[in-house]
Amino acid sequence: MVKHIVCFKLSGSVEIRREIAERFCRALMELPSKIDVLESMEVGINENPTEDWDVVLTAVVPKMEDVEVYAKHPAHVAAASIIAGYKESRACVDYSF
């Protein structure tokens, strides 16, 4: 199994970042029912005002090659488009467990 963990820093006012993060998270949570290789998805919006990152996701797929399958799936591409104009930074770690 592989964990795919991604953090996003969004741009804009606190209100805009929160609105975009909520829309993005709702779309991400729909993905396990749409993408066969996606075993699970957990997402969260940062509640700590002293930190800079806005959203974190943890996806689980069977093997490393499935990270690319997930990333290229049209449902994931559509979800990612929600933050496209607001994504300031992205950090990612993929590891087998």
Side-chain angles (χ1 to χ4, degrees), residues 13-80:
S13 68
V14 171
E15 295 80 14
I16 293 292
R17 290 185 358 249
R18 181 67 183 207
E19 176 188 337
I20 297 302
E22 288 174 355
R23 286 179 45 214
F24 183 47
C25 287
R26 283 192 300 272
L28 289 172
M29 290 306 297
E30 294 177 7
L31 296 182
S33 67
K34 298 177 180 181
I35 303 174
D36 290 340
V37 298
L38 192 52
E39 299 282 334
S40 67
M41 171 70 74
E42 182 179 335
V43 297
I45 297 173
N46 188 9
E47 297 176 16
N48 184 343
T50 65
E51 295 296 335
D52 295 329
W53 295 86
D54 296 290
V55 178
V56 64
L57 74 84
T58 302
V60 176
V61 296
K63 57 189 187 290
M64 194 61 72
E65 295 82 7
D66 292 329
V67 173
E68 187 173 351
V69 172
Y70 153 77
K72 291 183 177 181
H73 191 282
H76 174 264
V77 172

Side-chain angles (χ1 to χ4, degrees), residues 80-94:
S81 73
I82 293 169
I83 64 166
Y86 300 92
K87 184 172 59 176
E88 185 176 308
S89 297
R90 176 185 179 273
C92 178
V93 174
D94 296 318

